[in-house]
Amino acid sequence: GLWNMERTIHIAEQAGSAMSVQERDPCPHRILDDIGGAFAMGAIGGGLWNMVKGARNSPRGERMQGSISAIRARAPILGGNFAVWGGLFSSFDCSLVWLRRKEDPWNSIASGALTGGVLAARGGWRAASRSAAVGGVLLAMIEGLNIFLTKMLAENSAPPYAPPPPYQPPPMAPAPPTAAKPAAADEGFMVDSAKSSQAT
């Protein structure tokens, strides 16, 4: 309705300091939701990728079996990696929301940097810093693209039609003035009739 369109445009204008138009789940549930979504994304994407890779690396006559074996071996691992990334990202995001008492794109950017740094911490501080920089830049690009698309869609969307005004009847034309009868003639007529009756 009209209220939703005005709210969308307002959020798009304030996208630099406000959260996205699409409201996310509250933080305790957001972590589990992101873990499940990331695992499903990694498992499905990894299954398709390893299906093609297993078929290409298998000899003729065994490509179907090679695809199934590659999917069983690699798809759950890739899904688990995605789930770990999603869980860490959501945990950092919820922690920053609790600390800063607001939700904006800076939380996502910092969460991406922290997630990349933690996942590469076993390789030393240099590898962790490089991974943190990559994660922060990647999330900054995603958030910037999201803000740009939100503004573009809000500007290109046609405004809703205003409801028609209530019906109002046309104004009544004033009635034309009526000519007043001469009072003197009426009184004279009445006087004459009275005199004639007395004379009789």
Side-chain angles (χ1 to χ4, degrees):
L2 180 60
W3 184 85
N4 290 330
M5 180 62 66
E6 292 176 353
R7 180 173 178 270
T8 302
I9 294 174
H10 174 72
I11 293 178
E13 291 175 351
Q14 303 293 333
S17 59
M19 62 179 300
S20 175
V21 177
Q22 300 178 350
E23 298 288 340
R24 301 183 64 187
D25 293 335
C27 267
H29 306 285
R30 181 186 305 178
I31 299 174
L32 297 177
D33 186 33
D34 287 349
I35 290 175
F39 179 82
M41 185 184 303
I44 294 173
L48 294 176
W49 173 262
N50 287 283
M51 180 181 67
V52 176
K53 185 178 179 181
R56 291 183 61 183
N57 295 334
S58 299
R60 290 185 177 182
E62 298 181 359
R63 290 183 176 178
M64 182 63 68
Q65 185 66 29
S67 298
I68 295 175
S69 299
I71 291 173
R72 288 179 176 177
R74 298 298 303 172
I77 296 176
L78 191 58
N81 293 337
F82 271 66
V84 171
W85 199 96
L88 285 175
F89 177 83
S90 297
S91 300
F92 285 127
D93 192 17
C94 290
S95 300
L96 290 175
V97 169
W98 180 76
L99 289 174
R100 301 180 65 221
R101 295 293 189 271
K102 64 179 179 179
E103 193 165 359
D104 56 9
W106 291 110
N107 291 338
S108 299
I109 296 172
S111 299
L114 291 172
T115 302
V118 169
L119 291 177
R122 295 177 62 183
W125 67 271
R126 290 186 178 180
S129 60
R130 285 196 300 266
S131 181
V134 171
V137 171
L138 181 62
L139 265 296
M141 293 173 60
I142 294 174
E143 290 294 329
L145 181 62
N146 187 21
I147 293 171
F148 174 75
L149 292 177
T150 304
K151 285 186 176 182
M152 186 176 63
L153 293 176
E155 291 175 357
N156 293 337
S157 59
Y161 293 101
Y167 174 76
Q168 295 180 355
M172 299 292 294
T178 56
K181 296 181 180 180
D186 294 342
E187 291 178 358
F189 177 76
M190 292 175 65
V191 171
D192 294 340
S193 60
K195 288 184 179 180
S196 61
S197 60
Q198 289 178 1
T200 57

